[in-house]
Amino acid sequence: MSNIQVLATERQIRQAVRRIAREVSRRYQEESILLVGVLTGAFVFMADLARELYRMGMTDVEIEFIDISSYSGTESGQIRFDRDLTVPISGRHVVIVEDIIDTGATLAFLLKLLEVREPASLIVVALFNKVTRRVETLPSERIITGIDLPNKFVVGYGLDRNGKFRHLPFVGIVAS
Ligand code: IMP
Ligand code: MG
């Protein structure tokens, strides 16, 4: 068993997901929205957020995933694009669902990629945020974040280290 120092508890995460869902439902109210999850890390957040939106009265919600990863280890901000959306987004209200913002490179790439497809609107919800690591400038008015984290490599709630720990219901740092 690995020793894990908890940085965000299940309860804190639940509250942050609710806060984000409230903000999304306030912005879009009666609109139809398309949630675009960034694989793989966003799968847990997506599942919880989507159901929270239903509880808040949003019924017109569609879900898609896009597969993009950044080589965060190299600091190069290089992006690997593995799988595109399966539907057009022109004229749609699109909400990118991301697990964590670190340098901002992944989101900068994604915003550019999707913007040219002319969605009616395009915002980002990211559950975790490493504020001090930002390299790319992101449009803050279009980004909703949940929990700020220190500049440490974290795992859990979808986030992995070498493919492991995504299934932890909380977020923390692996001791060894
Ligand atoms: P960015 O492009 O530097 O903002 O990095 C964002 C992506 O890197 C996220 O979508 C995650 O997949 C991954 N990532 C960043 N920080 C961590 C971490 O602490 N643990 C696990 N994955 C991370
Ligand atoms: Mg990612």
Side-chain angles (χ1 to χ4, degrees), residues 75 100-104 128-138 145 147-154:
E75 305 286 328
I100 189 166
I101 313 177
D102 185 8
T103 64
F128 300 103
N129 185 26
K130 292 187 200 168
V131 196
T132 59
R133 279 266 297 169
R134 202 77 81 248
V135 174
E136 296 281 343
T137 313
L138 298 172
T145 58
I147 298 172
D148 286 347
L149 291 177
N151 180 18
K152 298 268 169 60
F153 194 81
V154 297

Side-chain angles (χ1 to χ4, degrees), residues 113-167:
L113 181 83
L114 298 186
E115 236 150 38
V116 296
R117 301 181 189 180
E118 302 186 329
S121 69
L122 181 60
I123 68 166
V124 176
V125 297
L127 185 54
F128 300 103
N129 185 26
K130 292 187 200 168
V131 196
T132 59
R133 279 266 297 169
R134 202 77 81 248
V135 174
E136 296 281 343
T137 313
L138 298 172
S140 59
E141 72 287 352
R142 291 203 273 147
I143 300 191
I144 302 166
T145 58
I147 298 172
D148 286 347
L149 291 177
N151 180 18
K152 298 268 169 60
F153 194 81
V154 297
V155 298
Y157 201 80
L159 294 161
D160 74 308
R161 191 183 74 176
N162 299 328
K164 297 193 195 303
F165 305 109
R166 292 194 196 276
H167 64 310

Side-chain angles (χ1 to χ4, degrees), residues 25-37:
S25 61
R26 192 187 62 74
R27 284 197 196 201
Y28 290 107
Q29 292 178 1
E30 304 297 306
E31 306 277 8
S32 158
I33 62 169
L34 176 67
L35 301 177
V36 173

Side-chain angles (χ1 to χ4, degrees), residues 38-41 68-70 98-99 106:
V38 184
L39 289 171
T40 304
I68 286 176
S69 3
S70 63
E98 174 65 305
D99 47 10
T106 306

